[in-house]
């Protein structure tokens, strides 16, 4: 990588991080970004055109990872929140799909294939101990334009840990994500939805925003594919953040459920969007 490329990348990261702090101080308005207006409604037919799929390949979305050179620098800290983001205000009928605990080679590839087939992007909150073993899946997420968020290293109950241990859980995971995806994570989700002041402060220091969810599919309890589908479809509404899992147990029901509710949402006029922080 040339010096010009490094300077350009650092400048982009610096500008992005500064804008993130400004967005956090103004609340969550404008945090939802729609990938492409042309994707607002899609049919249930699976995309088969190789050229259509090519639009989701590496050159379109992925930042090339740094190799060698000086040590990485942490992004500028964001504003400290007092509660996590639970919904994403935005224009129109927009929703966010999220998947926790992976990546898992048994289930994550199936979820990625379905999202790719419909041209949809999601947020994967990964655990460091899983991600470090499956960096190929991290790269696939980044190549397809998904957002990869931090979900700690070992999925502990953070509110029971000392500050130093919490920081280590977050920092190690962010490093693995940056190595695998080429950029540090912008988003953090606490395991079990357990937050306290220390967690919020550390998340801000590491340049991330805390996100919870609006609709919990409770797929971790393996309630049945139809039940998961019903919970998503029943809870569909503008700004809803859906919580599902691609690891942490048998997630075959989650994989099958996505195949059913994703075309339903698209056919009912919902745009599946990534959470985003405005840079303009």
């Amino acid at each position: 990588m040339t010096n010009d490329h490094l300077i350009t990348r650092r400048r982009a990261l610096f500008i992005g991080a500064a804008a993130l702090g400004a967005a956090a101080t103004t609340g969550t308005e404008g945090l939802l970004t729609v990938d492409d207006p042309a994707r607002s409604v899609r049919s249930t037919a699976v995309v088969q055109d190789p050229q259509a799929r090519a639009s989701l390949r590496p050159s379109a979305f992925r930042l090339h990872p740094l190799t060698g050179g000086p040590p990485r620098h942490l992004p500028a800290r964001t504003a400290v929140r007092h509660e996590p983001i639970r919904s994403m205000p935005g224009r129109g009928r927009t929703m966010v799909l999220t998947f926790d605990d992976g990546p898992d080679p048994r289930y994550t590839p199936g979820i990625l294939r379905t999202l790719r087939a419909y041209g949809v992007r999601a947020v994967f909150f990964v655990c460091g101990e899983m991600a470090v073993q499956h960096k190929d899946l991290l790269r696939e997420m980044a190549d397809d334009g998904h957002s990869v968020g931090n979900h700690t290293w070992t999925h502990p109950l953070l509110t029971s840990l000392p500050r130093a241990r919490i920081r280590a859980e977050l920092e190690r995971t962010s490093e693995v994500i940056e190595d695998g995806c080429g950029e540090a994570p912008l988003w953090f989700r606490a395991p079990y939805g357990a937050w306290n002041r220390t967690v919020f402060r550390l998340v801000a220091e590491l340049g991330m925003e805390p996100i919870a969810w609006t609709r919990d599919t409770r797929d971790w309890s393996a309630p049945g594919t139809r039940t998961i589908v019903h919970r998503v479809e029943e809870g569909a509404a503008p700004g809803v953040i859906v919580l599902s899992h691609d690891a942490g147990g048998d997630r075959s029901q989650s994989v099958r459920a996505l195949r059913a509710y994703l075309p339903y949402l698209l056919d009912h006029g919902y745009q599946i969007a990534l959470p985003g922080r405005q840079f303009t």
Side-chain angles (χ1 to χ4, degrees), residues 100-230:
D100 286 12
D101 298 353
D104 188 317
R106 295 170 296 176
Y107 310 110
T108 304
I111 290 174
L112 288 171
R113 282 193 296 270
T114 299
L115 295 171
R116 188 181 306 125
Y118 290 97
V120 166
R121 300 169 202 160
V123 187
F124 289 86
F125 287 98
V126 302
C127 290
E129 64 180 359
M130 296 291 289
V132 75
Q133 300 179 59
H134 306 294
K135 285 191 176 181
D136 56 327
L137 290 175
L138 284 186
R139 287 190 291 271
E140 188 173 350
M141 291 172 186
D143 287 351
D144 281 2
H146 301 296
S147 179
V148 180
N150 188 320
H151 198 44
T152 73
W153 188 267
T154 61
H155 203 278
L157 182 66
L158 294 179
T159 53
S160 67
L161 300 181
R163 178 186 176 88
R165 171 73 186 282
I166 297 172
R167 188 179 187 95
E169 287 273 343
L170 273 59
E171 283 187 333
R172 290 182 68 193
T173 304
S174 287
E175 289 175 1
V176 170
I177 293 172
E178 184 171 358
D179 286 341
C181 299
E183 56 184 341
L186 298 178
W187 309 98
F188 174 79
R189 175 174 284 164
Y192 312 107
W195 306 86
N196 61 18
R197 186 173 181 178
T198 299
V199 174
F200 285 123
R201 286 185 176 277
L202 287 172
V203 168
E205 287 178 14
L206 296 176
M208 296 182 287
E209 285 275 19
I211 290 187
W213 55 84
T214 316
R215 188 67 170 177
D216 186 355
T217 64
R218 300 195 295 281
D219 58 342
W220 51 268
S221 65
T225 301
R226 289 186 179 180
T227 298
I228 297 171
V229 171
H230 175 72

Side-chain angles (χ1 to χ4, degrees), residues 20-43:
L20 302 187
T25 61
T26 58
T28 59
E29 289 298 330
L31 287 175
L32 191 65
T33 57
V34 178
D35 298 327
D36 184 351
R39 290 177 178 162
S40 59
V41 181
R42 289 176 177 262
S43 70

Side-chain angles (χ1 to χ4, degrees), residues 16-99:
L20 302 187
T25 61
T26 58
T28 59
E29 289 298 330
L31 287 175
L32 191 65
T33 57
V34 178
D35 298 327
D36 184 351
R39 290 177 178 162
S40 59
V41 181
R42 289 176 177 262
S43 70
T44 57
V46 175
V47 177
Q48 298 293 345
D49 185 354
Q51 293 182 344
R53 291 191 179 185
S55 65
L56 294 177
R57 301 319 302 165
S59 60
F61 306 110
R62 187 178 174 191
L63 292 176
H64 297 293
L66 289 172
T67 56
R72 63 170 57 87
H73 297 284
L74 292 177
R77 67 173 64 191
T78 61
V80 179
R81 292 187 179 272
H82 302 290
E83 61 180 24
I85 298 166
R86 301 184 188 279
S87 64
M88 286 290 177
R91 296 180 180 178
R93 294 161 64 84
T94 52
M95 293 177 60
V96 177
L97 301 182
T98 68
F99 299 90

